[in-house]
Coordinates of all heavy atoms in Angstrom, one line a residue:
M105 N -42.4 64.9 -31.4 CA -41.8 64.8 -32.7 C -42.7 64.1 -33.7 O -43.3 63.1 -33.3 CB -40.4 64.1 -32.6 CG -39.8 64.0 -34.0 SD -38.0 63.4 -33.6 CE -37.3 65.0 -33.0
K106 N -42.8 64.6 -34.8 CA -43.6 64.0 -35.9 C -43.2 62.7 -36.3 O -42.0 62.4 -36.5 CB -43.6 65.0 -37.1 CG -44.5 64.5 -38.3 CD -44.3 65.6 -39.4 CE -45.0 65.1 -40.7 NZ -44.9 66.1 -41.7
T107 N -44.1 61.7 -36.4 CA -43.8 60.4 -37.0 C -43.5 60.4 -38.5 O -44.3 61.1 -39.2 CB -44.9 59.4 -36.6 OG1 -45.1 59.3 -35.2 CG2 -44.5 57.9 -37.0
M108 N -42.5 59.8 -38.9 CA -42.1 59.8 -40.3 C -42.7 58.6 -40.9 O -42.5 57.4 -40.5 CB -40.6 59.8 -40.6 CG -40.0 61.0 -40.1 SD -38.2 60.9 -40.5 CE -37.5 62.1 -39.5
T109 N -43.5 58.8 -42.0 CA -44.2 57.7 -42.8 C -43.7 57.9 -44.1 O -43.9 58.7 -44.8 CB -45.8 58.0 -42.7 OG1 -46.1 57.9 -41.4 CG2 -46.3 56.7 -43.5
L110 N -42.8 57.0 -44.6 CA -42.1 57.1 -45.8 C -42.3 55.8 -46.7 O -42.5 54.8 -46.2 CB -40.6 57.3 -45.6 CG -40.3 58.4 -44.6 CD1 -38.9 58.3 -44.3 CD2 -40.6 59.7 -45.3
T111 N -42.3 56.0 -48.0 CA -42.5 54.7 -48.9 C -41.2 53.9 -48.8 O -40.1 54.4 -48.6 CB -42.7 55.2 -50.3 OG1 -41.4 55.9 -50.8 CG2 -43.8 56.0 -50.3
L112 N -41.4 52.6 -49.0 CA -40.2 51.6 -49.0 C -39.3 52.0 -50.1 O -38.1 52.0 -49.8 CB -40.8 50.2 -49.1 CG -39.8 49.2 -49.0 CD1 -39.0 49.3 -47.8 CD2 -40.4 47.8 -49.2
A113 N -39.8 52.3 -51.2 CA -39.0 52.7 -52.3 C -38.0 54.0 -52.1 O -36.9 53.9 -52.4 CB -39.7 53.0 -53.7
G114 N -38.7 55.0 -51.4 CA -37.9 56.1 -51.1 C -36.9 55.8 -50.0 O -35.7 56.3 -50.1
L115 N -37.2 55.0 -49.0 CA -36.2 54.6 -48.0 C -35.0 53.8 -48.6 O -33.9 54.1 -48.3 CB -36.8 53.8 -47.0 CG -37.7 54.5 -46.0 CD1 -38.6 53.5 -45.0 CD2 -36.9 55.5 -45.1
T116 N -35.4 52.9 -49.5 CA -34.3 52.1 -50.0 C -33.4 52.8 -51.0 O -32.3 52.7 -50.9 CB -35.1 51.0 -50.9 OG1 -35.9 50.1 -50.1 CG2 -33.9 50.1 -51.6
A117 N -34.0 53.8 -51.8 CA -33.1 54.6 -52.6 C -32.2 55.4 -51.8 O -31.0 55.5 -52.2 CB -34.1 55.4 -53.5
L118 N -32.7 56.1 -50.7 CA -31.8 56.8 -49.9 C -30.8 56.0 -49.1 O -29.6 56.3 -49.0 CB -32.6 57.8 -49.0 CG -33.3 59.0 -49.7 CD1 -34.2 59.6 -48.7 CD2 -32.3 60.0 -50.4
A119 N -31.2 55.0 -48.6 CA -30.3 54.1 -47.9 C -29.2 53.5 -48.6 O -28.2 53.1 -48.1 CB -31.2 53.0 -47.2
L120 N -29.3 53.4 -50.0 CA -28.3 52.8 -50.8 C -27.3 53.8 -51.0 O -26.2 53.4 -51.6 CB -28.9 52.3 -52.1 CG -29.8 51.0 -51.9 CD1 -30.5 50.6 -53.3 CD2 -29.0 49.9 -51.4
S121 N -27.5 55.0 -50.8 CA -26.5 56.0 -50.9 C -25.3 55.7 -50.2 O -25.3 55.5 -48.9 CB -27.0 57.5 -50.6 OG -25.9 58.4 -50.7
T122 N -24.1 55.7 -50.8 CA -22.8 55.3 -50.0 C -22.0 56.5 -49.7 O -21.0 56.5 -48.9 CB -22.0 54.4 -50.7 OG1 -21.6 54.9 -52.0 CG2 -22.7 53.0 -51.0
T123 N -22.4 57.8 -50.1 CA -21.7 58.8 -49.8 C -22.2 59.5 -48.5 O -23.2 59.8 -48.3 CB -21.9 60.0 -51.0 OG1 -21.5 59.4 -52.2 CG2 -21.0 61.3 -50.7
A124 N -21.1 59.7 -47.6 CA -21.6 60.3 -46.2 C -21.2 61.7 -46.2 O -20.3 62.1 -46.7 CB -20.7 59.6 -45.1
F125 N -22.2 62.5 -45.8 CA -22.0 64.0 -45.6 C -22.2 64.5 -44.4 O -23.3 64.1 -43.7 CB -22.9 64.7 -46.7 CG -22.7 64.5 -48.1 CD1 -23.1 63.5 -48.8 CD2 -21.8 65.4 -48.8 CE1 -22.9 63.3 -50.1 CE2 -21.6 65.3 -50.0 CZ -22.1 64.1 -50.9
A126 N -21.3 65.3 -43.8 CA -21.7 66.0 -42.5 C -22.7 67.2 -42.8 O -22.7 67.7 -43.9 CB -20.4 66.5 -42.0
N127 N -23.4 67.6 -41.7 CA -24.3 68.5 -41.9 C -23.7 69.9 -42.5 O -24.2 70.6 -43.4 CB -25.0 69.1 -40.6 CG -25.8 67.9 -40.0 OD1 -26.0 66.9 -40.5 ND2 -26.2 68.2 -38.9
T128 N -22.5 70.2 -42.1 CA -21.8 71.3 -42.5 C -21.5 71.2 -44.1 O -21.4 72.3 -44.8 CB -20.6 71.7 -41.8 OG1 -19.8 70.6 -41.8 CG2 -20.9 72.1 -40.4
E129 N -21.2 70.1 -44.5 CA -20.8 69.9 -45.9 C -22.2 70.0 -46.7 O -22.0 70.4 -47.9 CB -20.3 68.5 -46.2 CG -18.9 68.3 -45.6 CD -18.3 67.0 -45.7 OE1 -19.0 66.0 -45.9 OE2 -17.1 66.9 -45.4
I130 N -23.3 69.6 -46.2 CA -24.6 69.8 -47.0 C -25.0 71.3 -47.0 O -25.5 71.8 -48.0 CB -25.7 68.9 -46.4 CG1 -25.2 67.5 -46.6 CG2 -26.9 69.1 -47.1 CD1 -26.1 66.4 -45.9
D131 N -24.9 71.9 -45.9 CA -25.4 73.3 -45.6 C -24.3 74.2 -46.4 O -23.6 74.9 -45.7 CB -25.5 73.6 -44.1 CG -26.0 74.8 -43.9 OD1 -26.6 75.6 -44.8 OD2 -25.8 75.5 -42.7
T132 N -24.5 74.3 -47.6 CA -23.5 75.0 -48.3 C -23.6 76.5 -48.2 O -22.6 77.2 -48.4 CB -23.6 74.7 -49.9 OG1 -25.0 75.0 -50.3 CG2 -23.2 73.3 -50.1
D133 N -24.7 77.1 -47.8 CA -24.8 78.5 -47.5 C -24.5 78.9 -46.2 O -24.5 80.1 -45.8 CB -26.2 79.1 -48.1 CG -27.4 78.5 -47.2 OD1 -27.2 77.9 -46.3 OD2 -28.6 78.9 -47.7
G134 N -24.4 78.0 -45.3 CA -24.0 78.2 -43.9 C -25.1 78.9 -43.0 O -24.7 79.5 -41.9
D135 N -26.3 78.7 -43.4 CA -27.4 79.3 -42.6 C -27.9 78.4 -41.4 O -28.8 78.8 -40.6 CB -28.6 79.7 -43.5 CG -29.3 78.5 -44.1 OD1 -28.8 77.3 -43.9 OD2 -30.2 78.7 -44.8
G136 N -27.2 77.2 -41.2 CA -27.6 76.4 -40.1 C -28.6 75.4 -40.3 O -28.9 74.6 -39.4
V137 N -29.3 75.4 -41.5 CA -30.3 74.5 -41.9 C -30.0 74.0 -43.3 O -29.3 74.6 -44.0 CB -31.7 75.1 -41.7 CG1 -32.0 75.3 -40.3 CG2 -31.9 76.2 -42.6
M138 N -30.6 73.0 -43.7 CA -30.5 72.3 -45.0 C -31.8 72.5 -45.8 O -32.9 72.1 -45.4 CB -30.1 70.9 -44.8 CG -28.8 70.7 -44.3 SD -28.4 69.1 -43.6 CE -29.0 69.2 -41.9
S139 N -31.6 73.1 -47.0 CA -32.9 73.2 -47.9 C -33.0 72.0 -48.8 O -32.1 71.1 -48.8 CB -32.5 74.4 -48.8 OG -31.5 74.1 -49.7
M140 N -34.1 71.9 -49.4 CA -34.4 70.8 -50.4 C -33.2 70.7 -51.4 O -32.7 69.6 -51.6 CB -35.7 71.0 -51.0 CG -36.0 70.0 -52.1 SD -36.6 68.5 -51.4 CE -37.1 67.7 -52.9
E141 N -32.9 71.9 -51.9 CA -31.8 71.9 -52.9 C -30.5 71.3 -52.3 O -29.8 70.7 -53.1 CB -31.7 73.4 -53.5 CG -32.8 73.8 -54.3 CD -34.1 74.3 -53.4 OE1 -33.8 74.5 -52.3 OE2 -35.1 74.3 -53.9
E142 N -30.2 71.9 -51.2 CA -28.8 71.4 -50.5 C -28.9 69.9 -50.4 O -27.9 69.2 -50.6 CB -28.5 72.1 -49.2 CG -28.2 73.6 -49.4 CD -28.2 74.4 -48.2 OE1 -29.0 74.1 -47.3 OE2 -27.3 75.2 -48.1
L143 N -30.0 69.4 -49.8 CA -30.1 68.0 -49.6 C -30.1 67.2 -50.8 O -29.5 66.1 -50.9 CB -31.3 67.6 -48.7 CG -31.1 67.9 -47.2 CD1 -32.4 67.8 -46.4 CD2 -30.1 66.8 -46.6
Q144 N -30.8 67.7 -51.8 CA -30.9 67.0 -53.1 C -29.4 66.9 -53.8 O -29.2 66.0 -54.5 CB -31.9 67.5 -54.1 CG -33.2 67.1 -53.8 CD -34.2 67.5 -54.9 OE1 -34.1 68.6 -55.4 NE2 -35.1 66.7 -55.2
A145 N -28.6 67.9 -53.5 CA -27.2 67.9 -54.0 C -26.5 66.8 -53.5 O -25.6 66.1 -54.1 CB -26.5 69.2 -53.8
A146 N -26.7 66.5 -52.1 CA -26.1 65.4 -51.5 C -26.7 64.0 -51.6 O -26.1 62.9 -51.7 CB -26.0 65.7 -50.0
Y147 N -28.1 64.0 -51.7 CA -28.9 62.8 -51.9 C -29.8 63.1 -53.1 O -30.9 63.4 -52.9 CB -29.7 62.7 -50.7 CG -28.9 62.4 -49.3 CD1 -28.7 63.5 -48.5 CD2 -28.3 61.2 -49.1 CE1 -28.0 63.2 -47.4 CE2 -27.4 61.1 -48.0 CZ -27.3 62.1 -47.1 OH -26.5 62.0 -46.0
P148 N -29.3 62.7 -54.3 CA -30.1 63.1 -55.5 C -31.4 62.4 -55.6 O -32.3 62.9 -56.3 CB -29.2 62.6 -56.7 CG -27.8 62.7 -56.1 CD -28.0 62.3 -54.6
T149 N -31.7 61.4 -55.0 CA -33.0 60.6 -55.0 C -34.0 61.2 -53.9 O -35.0 60.7 -54.0 CB -32.7 59.1 -54.7 OG1 -32.2 58.9 -53.5 CG2 -31.9 58.5 -55.8
L150 N -33.7 62.1 -53.2 CA -34.5 62.7 -52.3 C -35.8 63.3 -52.9 O -35.6 64.2 -53.8 CB -33.8 63.8 -51.5 CG -34.7 64.5 -50.3 CD1 -35.0 63.5 -49.2 CD2 -34.1 65.8 -49.8
S151 N -36.9 62.9 -52.5 CA -38.2 63.4 -53.2 C -38.8 64.5 -52.2 O -38.4 64.6 -51.0 CB -39.2 62.3 -53.4 OG -39.7 61.9 -52.0
E152 N -39.7 65.3 -52.8 CA -40.3 66.3 -52.0 C -41.1 65.7 -50.9 O -41.2 66.3 -49.8 CB -41.3 67.1 -52.9 CG -40.5 68.0 -53.9 CD -41.5 68.9 -54.7 OE1 -42.6 69.3 -54.3 OE2 -41.1 69.3 -55.8
D153 N -41.7 64.4 -51.0 CA -42.5 63.9 -50.1 C -41.6 63.5 -49.0 O -41.9 63.5 -47.8 CB -43.2 62.6 -50.6 CG -44.4 63.0 -51.4 OD1 -44.9 64.2 -51.3 OD2 -44.8 62.1 -52.3
L154 N -40.4 62.8 -49.2 CA -39.5 62.5 -48.3 C -38.9 63.7 -47.4 O -38.8 63.7 -46.2 CB -38.3 61.8 -48.7 CG -38.6 60.3 -49.2 CD1 -37.5 59.6 -50.0 CD2 -39.1 59.4 -48.1
F155 N -38.6 64.8 -48.2 CA -38.2 66.1 -47.4 C -39.3 66.5 -46.5 O -38.9 66.9 -45.3 CB -37.8 67.1 -48.5 CG -37.3 68.4 -48.0 CD1 -35.9 68.5 -47.8 CD2 -38.1 69.4 -47.7 CE1 -35.5 69.7 -47.2 CE2 -37.7 70.6 -47.2 CZ -36.4 70.7 -46.8
A156 N -40.5 66.5 -47.0 CA -41.6 66.9 -46.1 C -41.8 66.1 -44.9 O -42.0 66.6 -43.8 CB -42.9 67.1 -46.9
A157 N -41.5 64.7 -45.0 CA -41.6 64.0 -43.9 C -40.6 64.2 -42.9 O -40.7 64.1 -41.7 CB -41.5 62.4 -44.4
M158 N -39.4 64.6 -43.4 CA -38.2 64.8 -42.6 C -38.4 66.1 -41.8 O -37.9 66.4 -40.7 CB -36.9 65.0 -43.4 CG -36.5 63.5 -43.9 SD -35.2 63.7 -45.2 CE -33.9 64.8 -44.3
D159 N -39.2 67.1 -42.5 CA -39.3 68.5 -41.9 C -40.3 68.4 -40.8 O -41.5 68.9 -41.0 CB -39.7 69.4 -43.1 CG -39.9 70.9 -42.7 OD1 -39.4 71.1 -41.5 OD2 -40.3 71.6 -43.5
A160 N -39.9 68.0 -39.6 CA -41.0 67.7 -38.6 C -41.6 69.0 -38.1 O -43.0 69.1 -37.8 CB -40.2 67.1 -37.4
N161 N -41.0 70.2 -38.2 CA -41.6 71.4 -37.7 C -42.3 72.2 -38.8 O -42.9 73.3 -38.5 CB -40.6 72.3 -36.9 CG -39.4 72.8 -37.7 OD1 -39.4 72.6 -39.1 ND2 -38.5 73.4 -37.1
G162 N -42.2 71.7 -40.1 CA -42.8 72.2 -41.2 C -42.4 73.7 -41.6 O -43.0 74.4 -42.2
D163 N -41.0 73.9 -41.3 CA -40.6 75.3 -41.6 C -39.9 75.4 -43.1 O -39.3 76.3 -43.5 CB -39.6 75.7 -40.5 CG -38.3 75.0 -40.5 OD1 -38.2 74.0 -41.3 OD2 -37.4 75.4 -39.8
G164 N -39.8 74.3 -43.8 CA -39.3 74.3 -45.1 C -37.9 74.0 -45.2 O -37.2 74.1 -46.2
S165 N -37.2 73.7 -43.9 CA -35.9 73.4 -44.0 C -35.6 72.4 -43.0 O -36.4 72.0 -42.1 CB -35.0 74.5 -43.7 OG -35.4 75.1 -42.5
I166 N -34.5 71.6 -43.1 CA -34.1 70.6 -42.1 C -33.0 71.0 -41.3 O -31.9 71.4 -41.7 CB -33.6 69.3 -42.9 CG1 -34.6 68.9 -44.0 CG2 -33.2 68.1 -42.0 CD1 -36.0 68.6 -43.5
D167 N -33.3 71.1 -39.9 CA -32.2 71.3 -39.0 C -31.5 70.2 -38.5 O -31.7 69.0 -39.0 CB -32.9 72.1 -37.8 CG -33.8 71.4 -37.0 OD1 -33.8 70.1 -36.9 OD2 -34.8 72.0 -36.4
A168 N -30.5 70.3 -37.6 CA -29.7 69.2 -37.1 C -30.4 68.1 -36.6 O -30.2 66.8 -36.7 CB -28.6 69.7 -36.2
D169 N -31.4 68.5 -35.8 CA -32.4 67.4 -35.0 C -33.1 66.7 -36.0 O -33.2 65.4 -36.0 CB -33.2 68.1 -34.1 CG -32.4 68.7 -32.8 OD1 -31.3 68.2 -32.5 OD2 -33.0 69.7 -32.2
E170 N -33.7 67.4 -37.1 CA -34.5 66.6 -38.0 C -33.6 65.8 -38.9 O -34.0 64.6 -39.3 CB -35.2 67.7 -38.9 CG -36.3 68.4 -38.2 CD -36.9 69.6 -38.9 OE1 -36.0 70.3 -39.6 OE2 -38.0 69.9 -38.7
F171 N -32.3 66.2 -39.2 CA -31.4 65.4 -39.9 C -31.0 64.2 -39.2 O -31.0 63.1 -39.7 CB -30.2 66.2 -40.2 CG -29.2 65.6 -41.2 CD1 -29.4 65.6 -42.6 CD2 -28.1 65.0 -40.7 CE1 -28.5 65.1 -43.5 CE2 -27.1 64.5 -41.6 CZ -27.3 64.5 -43.0
K172 N -30.8 64.3 -38.0 CA -30.4 63.1 -37.0 C -31.6 62.2 -36.9 O -31.4 61.0 -37.1 CB -30.0 63.5 -35.7 CG -29.6 62.3 -34.8 CD -28.7 62.7 -33.7 CE -28.4 61.4 -32.8 NZ -28.8 60.1 -33.3
A173 N -32.8 62.7 -36.9 CA -34.0 61.9 -36.7 C -34.1 61.1 -38.0 O -34.5 59.9 -37.9 CB -35.2 62.7 -36.5
A174 N -33.8 61.7 -39.2 CA -33.9 61.0 -40.5 C -32.9 59.9 -40.5 O -33.2 58.7 -41.0 CB -33.7 62.0 -41.6
Q175 N -31.7 60.2 -40.0 CA -30.7 59.1 -40.0 C -31.0 58.0 -39.0 O -30.9 56.8 -39.4 CB -29.4 59.7 -39.6 CG -28.7 60.5 -40.6 CD -27.3 61.2 -40.2 OE1 -27.2 61.4 -39.0 NE2 -26.4 61.2 -40.9
D176 N -31.6 58.3 -38.0 CA -32.1 57.3 -36.9 C -33.1 56.4 -37.4 O -33.3 55.3 -37.2 CB -32.5 58.1 -35.5 CG -31.4 58.5 -34.9 OD1 -30.2 58.3 -35.2 OD2 -31.6 59.4 -33.8
A177 N -34.1 57.1 -38.4 CA -35.1 56.3 -39.0 C -34.7 55.5 -40.2 O -35.5 55.0 -41.0 CB -36.2 57.3 -39.2
A178 N -33.4 55.6 -40.5 CA -32.8 55.0 -41.7 C -33.4 55.5 -43.0 O -33.3 54.9 -44.0 CB -33.1 53.5 -41.7
V179 N -33.7 56.8 -43.0 CA -34.1 57.6 -44.1 C -32.8 58.1 -44.9 O -32.8 58.2 -46.1 CB -35.0 58.8 -43.8 CG1 -35.3 59.5 -45.1 CG2 -36.3 58.3 -43.2
L180 N -31.9 58.5 -44.1 CA -30.6 58.9 -44.6 C -29.4 58.2 -44.0 O -29.5 57.7 -42.9 CB -30.3 60.4 -44.2 CG -31.4 61.4 -44.9 CD1 -31.1 62.9 -44.3 CD2 -31.1 61.5 -46.4
P181 N -28.4 57.9 -44.7 CA -27.3 57.2 -44.2 C -26.6 58.1 -43.0 O -26.6 59.3 -43.1 CB -26.2 57.0 -45.4 CG -27.0 57.3 -46.6 CD -28.1 58.2 -46.2
V182 N -26.1 57.2 -42.0 CA -25.3 57.9 -41.0 C -24.2 58.6 -41.4 O -23.4 57.9 -42.2 CB -25.2 57.0 -39.8 CG1 -24.4 57.8 -38.7 CG2 -26.5 56.5 -39.2
T183 N -23.8 59.7 -40.9 CA -22.6 60.4 -41.4 C -21.6 60.3 -40.3 O -21.7 60.0 -39.2 CB -22.8 61.9 -41.8 OG1 -23.1 62.6 -40.5 CG2 -23.8 62.1 -42.7
D184 N -20.2 60.7 -40.7 CA -19.1 60.8 -39.8 C -19.2 62.0 -39.0 O -18.4 62.3 -38.0 CB -17.8 60.7 -40.5 CG -17.6 59.3 -41.1 OD1 -18.2 58.3 -40.5 OD2 -16.9 59.2 -42.1
G185 N -20.0 63.0 -39.4 CA -19.9 64.4 -38.8 C -21.0 64.9 -38.2 O -22.0 64.8 -37.9

């Protein structure tokens, strides 16, 4: 798994978000992955650099494993779902 190197400012901005979203709530088109646009709707402070760091396999989208890894690394708040 790719090591995430993120800026402290980016981590802080995302960690301060108090709104919790389940993957299914973010994946508005139901394709099983989250795009930059879908994640920015849930986390408006998400930058392209942070998205790229989360995208461990480099496919341009965030799957459930990458999303959980971002939560585990405190990049995104933990959700209820």
Side-chain angles (χ1 to χ4, degrees):
M105 182 169 281
K106 179 179 174 182
T107 302
M108 291 184 201
T109 305
L110 307 170
T111 66
L112 180 57
L115 283 172
T116 302
L118 288 174
L120 291 176
S121 172
T122 58
T123 306
F125 288 91
N127 295 359
T128 56
E129 292 173 345
I130 297 172
D131 180 19
T132 56
D133 63 7
D135 65 355
V137 294
M138 293 160 274
S139 67
M140 175 75 172
E141 293 77 20
E142 288 170 324
L143 279 167
Q144 278 186 321
Y147 302 99
T149 60
L150 180 73
S151 69
E152 288 183 25
D153 288 339
L154 289 173
F155 182 87
M158 291 170 54
D159 185 13
N161 63 8
D163 68 353
S165 61
I166 305 302
D167 62 28
D169 291 336
E170 291 166 330
F171 188 78
K172 179 159 180 8
Q175 289 179 322
D176 291 347
V179 175
L180 296 173
V182 176
T183 65
D184 293 330

